Amino acid sequence: MKKFVIENEFWELFPTAKIGIIVANDIDNTIKDEAKYAPMLAAAEKETDKFFTEGDFSKNPVIKVWREAFTKFKTKKGARSSIEALLKRVYNENHIGTINPLVDIYNSISLKYGMPCGGEDIETFVGDVRLTKAIGDEDFITLGSEESAPPYEGEIVYKDDKGAICRCWNWRESVRTMLTENTKHAFLCIELVDETRTEDFEAALNELSGLVTENLGGTAKISILDIDHKELVIVKE
């Protein structure tokens, strides 16, 4: 049995956070039509205008709330939330390219709702997955690198028994666990730190789940973790 556990060290910093998890099983993530998801991403890009209400990019609420969250733990210099990275590209008129179906789908949801979305291949997990503070010696190799760059001690990370899965909460993921065309079982997440956006958060989870099964087949189950519900069974064996 594999579990996802959010440890108390996380809740001490973010007691009101919610982590939405979708476990998608028996999906087909192969690229059959390279152009299929480009319109979905383009439509989502157009919806981001509603998030750019302030002239200063960093003062827009969906950016500011994550900048503030990142001040509560040690981060690599220049590390930003995944939603800021996506929105910054659109803000600068750099279109989001397609990668593979699952990534394209969750990127479109991330843009549409202004929330961090991510995903990993469940079959690559070694032991339980934890959202917690890093010890500082976790192995971590990201895309485009061949050398391990362990997180800082106290950095918020997703990790398993083999190493870090995602550094600085949702900044950058490990190449070891990333979604590929071979992925059959996926762990997808949406993260919420702004309590005023709970309805948007739930709508994003429902839409993401629906798009996955509609386009990739299989099944998708939604779970929401909070300070009163700290763990979830990912795989029953």
Side-chain angles (χ1 to χ4, degrees):
M1 182 169 67
K2 291 181 181 178
K3 296 190 296 182
F4 172 51
V5 180
I6 306 178
E7 297 187 340
N8 288 333
E9 289 180 328
F10 172 87
W11 297 116
E12 289 168 2
L13 296 179
F14 302 102
T16 63
K18 293 181 186 295
I19 308 296
I21 302 297
I22 298 172
V23 175
N25 286 311
D26 302 313
I27 58 174
D28 178 0
N29 196 41
T30 56
I31 300 172
K32 296 179 175 63
D33 179 357
E34 292 186 358
K36 179 176 180 179
Y37 297 97
M40 182 185 294
L41 287 165
E45 285 184 17
K46 291 179 181 178
E47 294 207 37
T48 62
D49 286 346
K50 61 180 177 285
F51 301 123
F52 304 138
T53 57
E54 302 294 329
D56 184 336
F57 178 79
S58 64
K59 291 183 180 178
N60 285 288
V62 296
I63 305 301
K64 186 178 179 182
V65 70
W66 281 102
R67 289 256 183 127
E68 291 173 350
F70 273 38
T71 66
K72 296 183 179 182
F73 58 92
K74 190 166 184 178
T75 62
K76 183 175 175 63
K77 185 177 180 181
R80 302 298 187 200
S81 67
S82 64
I83 185 55
E84 175 168 346
L86 274 182
L87 288 176
K88 189 67 175 286
R89 288 182 60 182
V90 176
Y91 187 78
N92 290 333
E93 299 183 351
N94 295 322
H95 296 297
I96 307 301
T98 60
I99 298 174
N100 64 54
L102 264 179
V103 175
D104 296 345
I105 289 169
Y106 79 60
N107 275 342
S108 72
I109 292 296
S110 187
L111 288 168
K112 180 177 179 178
Y113 289 92
M115 294 180 182
C117 298
E120 311 295 336
D121 189 320
I122 289 174
E123 292 184 288
T124 66
F125 293 159
V126 179
D128 293 338
V129 176
R130 289 163 283 156
L131 179 58
T132 186
K133 285 184 177 179
I135 296 172
D137 63 355
E138 292 89 349
D139 184 66
F140 179 83
I141 299 176
T142 193
L143 189 64
S145 175
E146 295 182 357
E147 295 184 2
S148 179
Y152 295 120
E153 180 182 357
E155 182 180 319
I156 294 298
V157 295
Y158 288 89
K159 60 185 282 187
D160 63 7
D161 292 348
K162 191 170 182 178
I165 291 171
C166 194
R167 283 195 57 184
C168 295
W169 195 346
N170 53 40
W171 167 59
R172 191 158 291 173
E173 69 172 346
S174 167
V175 69
R176 171 174 64 88
T177 59
M178 69 183 187
L179 299 171
T180 71
E181 285 191 72
N182 295 322
T183 299
K184 304 296 183 188
H185 307 282
F187 175 91
L188 306 173
C189 64
I190 300 179
E191 298 142 333
L192 180 73
V193 290
D194 183 351
E195 297 171 80
T196 68
R197 301 196 65 209
T198 299
E199 287 188 10
D200 287 343
F201 169 70
E202 293 176 354
L205 282 168
N206 286 323
E207 186 168 350
L208 177 56
S209 176
L211 285 172
V212 169
T213 54
E214 176 186 336
N215 288 278
L216 310 181
T219 61
K221 182 178 180 181
I222 299 172
S223 300
I224 296 176
L225 281 70
D226 57 28
I227 197 167
D228 296 316
H229 307 87
K230 302 176 182 178
E231 63 179 64
L232 165 72
V233 174
I234 302 172
V235 178
K236 294 180 180 179
E237 295 178 349

